[in-house]
Amino acid sequence: MGLNKKSVDDINVAGKRVLVRCDFNVPLKDGKITDDNRIKGAMPTIEKLIKDGGKVILCSHLGKVKNGPNEGESLAPVAAALEERLGKKITFVNDDNVTGQAATDAVAAMKDGDVVLLQNTRFRGKEETKPTEAGTAFAKELADLCDVYVCDAFGSAHRAHASVAGVTEFVRAKGGDCVVGYLMQKEIDFLGNAVENPVRPFVAILGGAKVADKLNVIDNLLEKADTLIIGGGMAYTFLKAQGLEIGKSMLDETKIDYCKEMLAKAEKLGKKILLPVDAVTITDFPNPIDADVDTLIVDSENMPADREGCDIGPKSRELFAEAVASAKTVVWNGPMGVFENPTLAAGTLAVAEALAKSDATTIIGGGDSAAAVNQMGLGDKMSHISTGGGASLEFLEGKSLPGVAAADDK
């Protein structure tokens, strides 16, 4: 996968213009940031570059902007939050073109240790396109602003966007370094090495709704892990593949044969796939999702035709916790049930608690699992919580991420 990358510790940025691609894709409500964890996560890299005398130019996307500006997704609130955290003036370039004259002038006026924040990269309108003519032009303009490029946005590292991967070609062409920041380095160290070089026994836990979302992850992790635990909605397609009645539970009809193949593959490789042996069932899905709901716990072999499994039962919780207890490396992606409902969150909580008690290296692969662990107040008990949902999944699939691949090798 090519994980041995140069980082900010390997370069000297004194007096140089340093473009840093951050992940400031923070949630906003009425123009206020409701969770600044991503800004907090970017601080070590930014502080290091300031301390070393770099001229620090920050860029990021925010929100789901597709083509052009949207006032509600300006990075202005991020500039204010950065000023507060860094205790210094940030020059915010409110230019929808991102790399226009205003940005050029702001960068030209910088002194060593100064910080400039560019406007939302997606306001440009071509950030999300694959390197087309327009995307390439944007990448070149970003490179024109800097001497060195630092990628610290793991949440976007699976996208070959202008500000993530495209820019590196032009920075490198003029002799500049392209390196990763501390946040990216941590993701590579934990997630990358867990998959490529785990301390064994290695247990992988996959949950979430659909088998289709995790086809390649299941396949790849079966090769790497010693035990693969499958919970959440996707488990019922595996149970159906074993010939069991699953009632009204979630079923991915087109993936039954795939699940049979994976079960056969595990047997052939001498790996364990652990599936739920019991389920917390309901008759009707709660509406709203956190409404009170009546449940019945049944064994997986005795699922009534008129009920739906929405969480793993107590026997499965115990089974999964035992597997975690004997592990040295654990990677978890996806909840065990409808964790947004307090009654149906017990399975996800049990897995989170098992990881919290474990001596293993415990890695949470972003997305809903990260949200669940943090909601339950167990985040600080994990070795690493990934900052990227989609990027984590692609890493676990064994894919090369454009944002990682584009950095210089050591």
Side-chain angles (χ1 to χ4, degrees):
M1 221 191 277
L3 301 179
N4 197 18
K5 296 294 178 180
K6 278 189 186 171
S7 82
V8 286
D9 285 334
D10 298 313
I11 56 169
N12 175 10
V13 299
K16 292 181 180 172
R17 300 168 303 159
V18 188
L19 179 69
V20 190
R21 176 51 158 99
C22 299
D23 182 4
F24 293 146
N25 187 20
V26 291
L28 293 173
K29 191 173 183 188
D30 304 323
K32 298 265 184 276
I33 297 169
T34 56
D35 178 353
D36 73 346
N37 267 332
R38 286 182 167 165
I39 294 172
K40 191 169 142 194
M43 283 299 111
T45 297
I46 296 169
E47 284 165 347
K48 153 86 174 159
L49 295 168
I50 292 170
K51 186 173 164 234
D52 289 355
K55 297 169 181 175
V56 184
I57 308 150
L58 307 174
C59 69
S60 174
H61 80 280
L62 193 160
K64 301 263 186 227
V65 184
K66 288 293 179 197
N67 280 302
N70 168 5
E71 190 48 47
E73 284 161 326
S74 164
L75 285 184
V78 172
L82 284 166
E83 281 195 345
E84 202 174 312
R85 280 200 172 269
L86 290 168
K88 67 181 290 164
K89 173 88 178 81
I90 305 291
T91 302
F92 175 53
V93 183
N94 191 4
D95 170 12
D96 294 346
N97 188 52
V98 187
T99 52
Q101 194 59 47
T104 305
D105 292 346
V107 170
M110 291 178 87
K111 295 184 174 61
D112 296 356
D114 282 356
V115 182
V116 161
L117 174 66
L118 303 179
Q119 184 53 287
N120 188 337
T121 54
R122 292 198 186 159
F123 279 13
R124 176 64 174 250
K126 299 294 177 190
E127 165 70 349
E128 287 193 271
T129 54
K130 288 187 176 130
T132 56
E133 204 175 310
T136 303
F138 184 27
K140 183 176 185 314
E141 287 167 34
L142 284 165
D144 287 344
L145 293 175
C146 70
D147 307 303
V148 174
Y149 172 75
V150 177
C151 187
D152 210 22
F154 183 72
S156 300
H158 58 315
R159 310 277 188 215
H161 290 170
S163 68
V164 176
V167 62
T168 59
E169 181 191 330
F170 298 101
V171 172
R172 206 173 278 117
K174 59 183 184 178
D177 293 302
C178 298
V179 304
V180 297
Y182 289 133
L183 205 56
M184 282 279 282
Q185 187 63 56
K186 200 173 173 211
E187 297 280 6
I188 291 168
D189 288 348
F190 278 98
L191 263 178
N193 290 328
V195 177
E196 292 303 308
N197 191 22
V199 181
R200 298 188 181 279
F202 173 26
V203 173
I205 307 168
L206 293 177
K210 296 179 188 156
V211 175
D213 294 343
K214 302 206 170 134
L215 292 178
N216 297 330
V217 181
I218 295 167
D219 206 355
N220 190 47
L221 286 179
L222 257 187
E223 305 267 349
K224 314 276 187 183
D226 301 296
T227 301
L228 182 57
I229 295 174
I230 295 177
M234 61 194 284
Y236 297 102
T237 305
F238 275 89
L239 293 171
K240 183 79 172 176
Q242 290 183 326
L244 296 177
E245 168 67 61
I246 61 164
K248 297 194 294 182
S249 306
M250 185 168 271
L251 173 64
D252 209 335
E253 193 92 51
T254 61
K255 297 293 176 277
I256 293 173
D257 285 344
Y258 170 84
C259 291
K260 285 179 181 170
E261 277 171 37
M262 290 304 107
L263 291 164
K265 180 175 177 173
E267 200 170 330
K268 188 179 166 195
L269 292 173
K271 306 291 179 79
K272 265 192 215 164
I273 290 185
L274 293 183
L275 295 167
V277 291
D278 58 352
V280 178
T281 66
I282 58 175
T283 49
D284 294 300
F285 204 79
N287 184 16
I289 201 158
D290 57 355
D292 287 344
V293 63
D294 289 326
T295 62
L296 174 69
I297 293 165
V298 299
D299 285 344
S300 297
E301 292 179 351
N302 301 315
M303 176 82 74
D306 62 346
R307 297 190 75 85
E308 176 179 0
C310 280
D311 191 18
I312 57 171
K315 291 179 192 167
S316 305
R317 288 171 220 159
E318 207 173 304
L319 178 71
F320 294 178
E322 273 172 27
V324 168
S326 63
K328 288 278 183 273
T329 305
V330 186
V331 172
W332 176 24
N333 184 289
M336 295 293 102
V338 186
F339 81 100
E340 300 88 343
N341 184 298
T343 312
L344 304 171
T348 302
L349 177 59
V351 168
E353 284 176 336
L355 265 72
K357 286 179 197 157
S358 166
D359 295 331
T361 297
T362 49
I363 300 156
I364 313 300
D368 284 343
S369 326
V373 165
N374 286 327
Q375 251 175 44
M376 292 160 179
L378 295 170
D380 62 343
K381 300 277 195 297
M382 306 300 156
S383 308
H384 178 61
I385 299 178
S386 178
T387 52
S392 307
L393 269 184
E394 292 199 13
F395 231 155
L396 295 177
E397 284 178 33
K399 279 188 182 173
S400 173
L401 306 188
V404 177
D408 296 341
D409 291 324
K410 275 193 180 177

